[in-house]
Amino acid sequence: MKIRAKTFITNNYFLYTLGIVFIFLLWLFLSNALGKASLIIPSPIETFKVFGELFVSKYTWESIGWTLLRTLIGFGIAFIAAFILGIIGGNNKHVYTFLKPLIAVLKSIPTAALVFLFLILSGSRFAPTYIVFLLSFPILYESIAGGIKSIPQEINESLRLESNSIIRPIVQVRIPLAMPYIIVGLASSFALSLKTEIMAEIITGDTNYGLGSMISAYRTIDPSDLTPIFAIALIALIIILITDVIGMIINKVIKIDE
């Protein structure tokens, strides 16, 4: 009986749920302790009320759709480019070394600087998509190339001896072995891309639909009330958590198949 109780307490799902409850209680404590809650940290109860109102709003779902669409376009193009170059770079050390400076530059450029650059070059409507591409490309490239390069040397040697083809070992062996790295890169970079898309929508001041545009609109209506801002952030958080869960499930399935 004691062993079962100990197992339940140390269960990952239980600890994860306990962590969520802790965050909620901490949020509730801070909102009450700081006095004028809505001016600093809105009450979680009020935030969930506004969340419910936003959840049934057509404007909210259209904004979610547009934010996801822009994110998926930039992210999808980045994945295609990163997949091609990552496969080449992972299998060829000369290409990998050649691309290292470019990847380092893309990773080190401040996101805010990119927002203003593309705002000037392409306008507010397309700037967030370009930013998502440049942000997610180096992460995806490194996960794909790193996954290929992590394959044990003895496997690479046996592939050289057993196959005269260049493409077949890559498709049938190297890519499947690198898939866990690719999945991790996809999950982490998509969550970051979504947050960057929302931030870019806020900075660019785009009047089209989007979660960032919703935040800008509600800030204009009543700058003193942060409750809708927290509610919109909660919507984005739920989307990111769903993405992470899907990534973990796919990763687990791949490991089981292996």
Side-chain angles (χ1 to χ4, degrees):
M1 192 72 177
K2 290 182 178 179
I3 296 174
R4 288 184 178 179
K6 186 177 180 181
T7 304
F8 176 76
I9 293 173
T10 56
N11 183 277
N12 287 335
Y13 295 106
F14 173 76
L15 293 174
Y16 191 84
T17 305
L18 195 64
I20 294 175
V21 173
F22 171 75
I23 292 173
F24 179 82
L25 292 176
L26 180 63
W27 181 5
L28 184 63
F29 170 76
L30 290 175
S31 66
N32 291 326
L34 293 174
K36 296 180 179 178
S38 62
L39 296 177
I40 305 173
I41 300 179
S43 164
I45 298 173
E46 291 298 322
T47 301
F48 278 105
K49 287 181 180 178
V50 175
F51 172 83
E53 294 171 1
L54 292 176
F55 189 78
V56 296
S57 170
K58 181 182 177 182
Y59 173 58
T60 300
W61 287 101
E62 288 177 338
S63 296
I64 292 172
W66 277 105
T67 294
L68 287 175
L69 178 62
R70 295 189 191 106
T71 304
L72 287 172
I73 291 173
F75 188 80
I77 297 172
F79 177 74
I80 293 171
F83 188 80
I84 295 171
L85 293 177
I87 296 298
I88 297 172
N91 287 282
N92 189 309
K93 63 180 181 179
H94 301 297
V95 175
Y96 184 81
T97 303
F98 175 77
L99 290 175
K100 251 186 174 181
L102 175 63
I103 301 301
V105 169
L106 291 177
K107 288 177 66 177
S108 60
I109 296 177
T111 306
L114 291 174
V115 172
F116 292 113
L117 173 64
F118 285 109
L119 185 59
I120 296 172
L121 294 176
S122 61
S124 61
R125 178 170 297 183
F126 301 106
T129 303
Y130 294 139
I131 296 160
V132 167
F133 169 82
L134 289 179
L135 179 81
S136 56
F137 170 75
I139 302 174
L140 291 168
Y141 169 81
E142 287 192 332
S143 66
I144 296 168
I148 297 294
K149 290 173 70 65
S150 69
I151 296 173
Q153 187 62 31
E154 55 269 21
I155 294 179
N156 289 322
E157 292 295 335
S158 64
L159 288 173
R160 292 190 188 99
L161 294 174
E162 294 175 4
S163 178
N164 295 323
S165 173
I166 297 176
I167 304 297
R168 186 175 296 174
I170 294 175
V171 175
Q172 294 182 349
V173 180
R174 290 193 175 100
I175 292 177
L177 288 176
M179 194 57 67
Y181 293 85
I182 297 174
I183 295 297
V184 170
L186 280 168
S188 60
S189 57
F190 184 80
L192 185 59
S193 297
L194 182 60
K195 289 187 287 187
T196 303
E197 167 69 28
I198 295 171
M199 182 203 69
E201 289 174 357
I202 297 171
I203 295 177
T204 56
D206 189 7
T207 56
N208 290 323
Y209 290 99
L211 292 176
S213 300
M214 282 184 69
I215 292 175
S216 297
Y218 279 103
R219 287 292 290 163
T220 303
I221 294 170
D222 187 359
S224 65
D225 186 10
L226 294 180
T227 306
I229 312 304
F230 272 64
I232 297 168
L234 189 60
I235 293 172
L237 177 61
I238 291 172
I239 296 172
I240 292 170
L241 288 176
I242 291 172
T243 304
D244 287 341
V245 170
I246 292 173
M248 287 189 293
I249 292 172
I250 295 174
N251 197 19
K252 184 177 288 187
V253 169
I254 290 172
K255 287 183 177 179
I256 291 173
D257 289 343
E258 291 178 343

